[in-house]
Amino acid sequence: MAILLLADHDHAGLSGQTAKTLTAALQIGGDVHILVAGPNARPAAEAAARLAGVAKVLLTDSGTFEHVLAEPLADLIVSLAPGYDTILAAATSTGKNVMPRVAALLDVAQVSDIIEVLAPDIFKRPIYAGNAIQTVQTTDAIRVITVRTAAFAATAGGAAVPIEPVAAVAERGLASFVDETASISDRPELASARVIISGGRALGSLEKFNEVILPVADKLGAAVGASRAAVDAGYAPNDWQVGQTGKIVAPQLYIAVGISGAIQHLAGMKDSKVIVAINKDVDAPIFQIADYGLVADLFEALPELEKAL
Amino acid sequence: MKILVPVKRVVDFNVKIRVKPDGSGVDLQNVKMSMNPFDEIAVEEALRLKEAGKAEEVVVVSIGPAKAEETLRTALAMGADRAILVETDDAVEPLAIAKILKGIVEAESPGLVILGKQAIDDDSNQTGQMLAALLGWGQGTFASKVELADGQVAVTREIDGGLQTVSVRLPAVITTDLRLNEPRYASLPNIMKAKKKPLEKTTPADFGVAIAARLRILKTEEPVRRIAGVKVGSVAELVDKLKTEAGVL
Ligand SMILES: Cc1cc2nc3c(=O)[nH]c(=O)nc-3n(C[C@H](O)[C@H](O)[C@H](O)COP(=O)(O)OP(=O)(O)OC[C@H]3O[C@@H](n4cnc5c(N)ncnc54)[C@H](O)[C@@H]3O)c2cc1C
Ligand SMILES: Nc1ncnc2c1ncn2[C@@H]1O[C@H](COP(=O)(O)O)[C@@H](O)[C@H]1O
């Protein structure tokens, strides 16, 4: 049977997470249809249609989906569900919001955050902040899955496939959009960055965070991350939090600065290819997983690093 | 209005868990258990709404073993009014939890259910959304701010690109994120008082919910461990190693 993949997009373009989710879908096997929902989302649909291995793209340009609210989006996916045996999405804030709703409406379990496909119905997923890996087999007729995209490479581009319209669903008016404060930045996104530099509680203030972390990030063309402690203290915005309950990343290079290395933080970055830790405490747990550790005061080391790059 | 808060008993967030060598699961013998941290935030939010005069009663519920009573007592000591324990020794998946909670919602008619966004043991992040779906309610997930108004609740949500505010019609489901509030500690007198607060015991069967697992757990294993690398003596050495040895600069 076929696989329905919910695209992650901002209408004008497709997020890089979709091509990674597609890789997981293709490993499960079957015709993959990508669903793009949103007014003015044709550019995103066109980008989806050019991903290798996709059979077709489904597009609804109904205004109902402008802000990707979970309630109507789940209803839309459920209306399409009879044609599919697998429905999946990236484990983004949208995927996490919508997919459990879909699963419950279909009376099936959801498999969250898969990191490996062993068979069409058997997956690996982390539990306990990644301190254990479970292998689970689904027994439901329809499999609802979210994909941890940091664990999958992106599918390459291919020849364009057709884009078909799908009917919108009735809006039940359960929730409405009020406003959004998007953090606009010229820096790469955490989810797709090749290099990430993250700051922790040791930065001490928003001003200091900006003063010492950002210049190094700019030199490296890096995305910026933060520990929960730094976000809680207001040194960095919430969407920079890396960890068990924040973003899961796996860049080529992750530089942790003034971060102790709590298991909740490690859960979000320990699959990075190369890890650098800068911390003044030689016993900080972060050094146990770092490839390169520098025991130093970050307020001296970072300006020096910026000059050396 | 009544607020229902589901709380889960989980391994304390400070504990580094051990995987059983035979691959059968995680070793929970003699491990410190606590209330799921996101659920503490949920209890706190419900209490604040009550203290602000926006709710009359806070009811906490836990589905789990007899020992989950401790978790409920903690919530009562924080200030919740009453508790319900749905007792079972089985591991219950989020869908079945949501079905049991639906039964409780139908019996209690709360105006708001506030859950944690994620239980830190299974890391599912499903139950609140599933409950909202089963009830046909709207949902405000990953909340960092909650404002009750007439017939609706404005929820500011932590999303991947920043913050989003939605207005959800009541009754509604909310799930908490870390920045919503800082939960209070229970004082000693309140811990004593909590021992006398009402706690009702039921079972999943009372709600007619089949809790049979839909997911078969084939194996539980250790993740691939990273080994510590080297310490470098200076920034210059670090940059050099990243360029020549690691090849990432
Ligand atoms: C439910 C729950 C979920 C959580 N989710 C997450 C999550 O997703 N992500 C996350 O990160 N955390 C998460 N946490 C929090 C986590 O447990 C830690 O509290 C947090 O990661 C600590 O942040 P930190 O390392 O910045 O601060 P600290 O642990 O305080 O570490 C600061 C470090 O800076 C070093 N330092 C101080 N001054 C300097 C200096 N001048 N130069 C160099 N080094 C210096 C210190 O030696 C120390 O190692 C969660 C916790 C809970 C309970
Ligand atoms: N056994 C349980 N008893 C009570 N509440 C639960 C239980 N399991 C999950 N929940 C609630 O659902 C939230 C999300 O859990 P999960 O979907 O398992 O990540 C938790 O933070 C709790 O509020």
Side-chain angles (χ1 to χ4, degrees):
Chain A
M1 259 231 282
I3 299 178
L4 184 66
L5 189 166
L6 174 67
D8 210 75
H9 68 89
D10 65 357
H11 307 279
L14 200 62
S15 112
Q17 314 245 24
T18 303
K20 295 180 181 175
T21 310
L22 176 59
T23 301
L26 293 170
Q27 287 175 8
I28 292 169
D31 271 2
V32 180
H33 302 171
I34 297 188
L35 173 64
V36 179
N40 315 315
R42 183 158 284 274
E46 282 168 359
R50 287 190 303 268
L51 290 174
V54 177
K56 68 177 172 187
V57 171
L58 307 175
L59 172 67
T60 163
D61 55 7
S62 158
T64 306
F65 304 111
E66 187 172 358
H67 301 292
V68 289
L69 297 184
E71 298 83 355
L73 195 50
D75 287 348
L76 174 70
I77 296 170
V78 169
S79 77
L80 300 170
Y84 299 94
D85 59 10
T86 303
I87 304 176
L88 81 179
T92 57
S93 55
T94 299
K96 291 179 196 167
N97 196 27
V98 175
M99 298 303 272
R101 211 173 157 100
V102 170
L105 292 172
L106 296 173
D107 191 27
V108 301
Q110 171 177 301
V111 188
S112 295
D113 274 296
I114 64 162
I115 54 169
E116 218 179 301
V117 177
L118 297 177
D121 59 345
I122 303 180
F123 311 95
K124 283 195 182 184
R125 64 173 302 263
I127 54 173
Y128 289 95
N131 286 304
I133 308 293
Q134 236 176 22
T135 302
V136 298
Q137 179 171 33
T138 58
T139 60
D140 290 310
I142 302 182
R143 299 180 282 261
V144 174
I145 295 164
T146 65
V147 176
R148 178 166 290 192
T149 50
F152 294 88
T155 306
V161 296
I163 300 175
E164 289 177 10
V166 287
V169 285
E171 165 66 82
R172 287 193 277 163
L174 296 173
S176 57
F177 173 81
V178 179
D179 61 32
E180 196 160 306
T181 18
S183 28
I184 301 157
S185 153
D186 296 335
R187 294 195 185 84
E189 276 180 35
L190 274 171
S192 53
R194 221 186 62 82
V195 180
I196 294 173
I197 176 164
S198 289
R201 192 197 307 272
L203 273 301
S205 70
L206 172 67
E207 292 70 31
K208 283 285 171 200
F209 195 105
N210 290 344
E211 190 184 310
V212 298
I213 298 277
L214 301 191
V216 181
D218 291 339
K219 270 271 175 78
L220 289 166
V224 184
S227 71
R228 173 194 174 178
V231 175
D232 282 3
Y235 311 162
N238 63 277
D239 52 314
W240 287 8
Q241 181 181 312
V242 170
Q244 178 188 16
T245 62
K247 289 198 172 130
I248 313 286
V249 298
Q252 292 293 302
L253 173 61
Y254 187 93
I255 308 177
V257 183
I259 292 177
S260 59
I263 48 174
Q264 292 84 8
H265 189 79
L266 303 189
M269 43 66 79
K270 68 180 163 59
D271 294 325
S272 304
K273 181 160 172 272
V274 174
I275 296 175
V276 170
I278 302 177
N279 196 304
K280 70 175 183 190
D281 174 9
V282 66
D283 295 322
I286 189 81
F287 287 128
Q288 289 164 18
I289 62 145
D291 299 287
Y292 301 104
L294 177 63
V295 181
D297 185 324
L298 73 92
F299 295 107
E300 285 161 23
L302 281 192
E304 219 182 298
L305 177 60
E306 198 244 333
K307 279 197 212 91
L309 289 168
Chain B
M1 186 176 79
K2 193 188 283 184
I3 303 178
L4 184 72
V5 183
V7 296
K8 186 177 187 187
R9 178 175 186 265
V10 298
V11 171
D12 187 84
F13 81 97
N14 267 317
V15 171
K16 178 119 177 30
I17 57 102
R18 246 179 254 279
V19 176
K20 289 188 199 159
D22 65 358
S24 66
V26 168
D27 192 355
L28 299 180
Q29 292 283 313
N30 304 318
V31 166
K32 182 178 179 212
M33 306 293 283
S34 298
M35 190 190 307
N36 183 40
F38 288 100
D39 305 352
E40 289 181 347
I41 297 173
V43 172
E44 177 66 35
E45 196 63 18
L47 295 175
R48 289 187 190 186
L49 288 168
K50 186 183 166 190
E51 284 156 5
K54 307 230 159 114
E56 286 84 50
E57 193 184 23
V58 176
V59 181
V60 289
V61 51
S62 193
I63 297 136
K67 284 219 160 149
E69 177 169 346
E70 288 168 15
T71 313
L72 289 168
R73 293 284 171 206
T74 304
L76 293 171
M78 286 173 75
D81 298 292
R82 171 159 84 72
I84 303 169
L85 172 62
V86 184
E87 208 177 317
T88 170
D89 284 327
D90 295 329
V92 189
E93 292 172 356
L95 180 63
I97 298 282
K99 288 180 180 178
I100 293 168
L101 292 175
K102 177 174 184 258
I104 293 176
V105 166
E106 281 161 356
E108 296 277 345
S109 306
L112 214 50
V113 184
I114 311 182
L115 306 90
K117 82 162 175 183
Q118 173 174 341
I120 60 163
D121 50 2
D122 62 36
D123 282 332
S124 292
N125 195 334
Q126 300 175 5
T127 308
Q129 298 88 314
M130 287 181 156
L131 175 64
L134 296 178
L135 291 166
W137 293 6
Q139 65 192 46
T141 53
F142 326 146
S144 69
K145 191 172 165 204
V146 169
E147 271 179 319
L148 265 179
D150 212 20
Q152 50 197 25
V153 58
V155 179
T156 303
R157 310 179 50 234
E158 295 201 0
I159 59 170
D160 286 349
L163 293 168
Q164 178 193 61
T165 304
V166 292
S167 174
V168 190
R169 203 168 76 194
L170 292 177
V173 168
I174 292 174
T175 75
T176 62
D177 216 318
L178 295 169
R179 258 67 61 179
L180 183 57
N181 60 49
E182 240 183 86
R184 70 194 65 186
Y185 290 103
S187 67
L188 199 57
N190 285 344
I191 293 172
M192 300 313 289
K193 261 195 253 167
K195 294 190 173 151
K196 297 198 198 77
K197 287 189 179 176
L199 187 145
E200 177 194 340
K201 290 187 184 170
T202 59
T203 66
D206 294 336
F207 301 94
V209 175
I211 54 170
R214 305 288 190 88
L215 296 181
R216 224 172 267 147
I217 300 167
L218 304 182
K219 188 165 71 177
T220 305
E221 61 196 322
E222 291 262 350
V224 182
R225 293 267 168 234
R226 270 190 103 99
I227 35 166
V230 297
K231 291 263 170 36
V232 292
S234 67
V235 168
E237 191 189 339
L238 174 65
V239 172
D240 179 59
K241 285 221 149 63
L242 290 177
K243 278 189 180 147
T244 55
E245 198 175 89
V248 288
L249 280 189

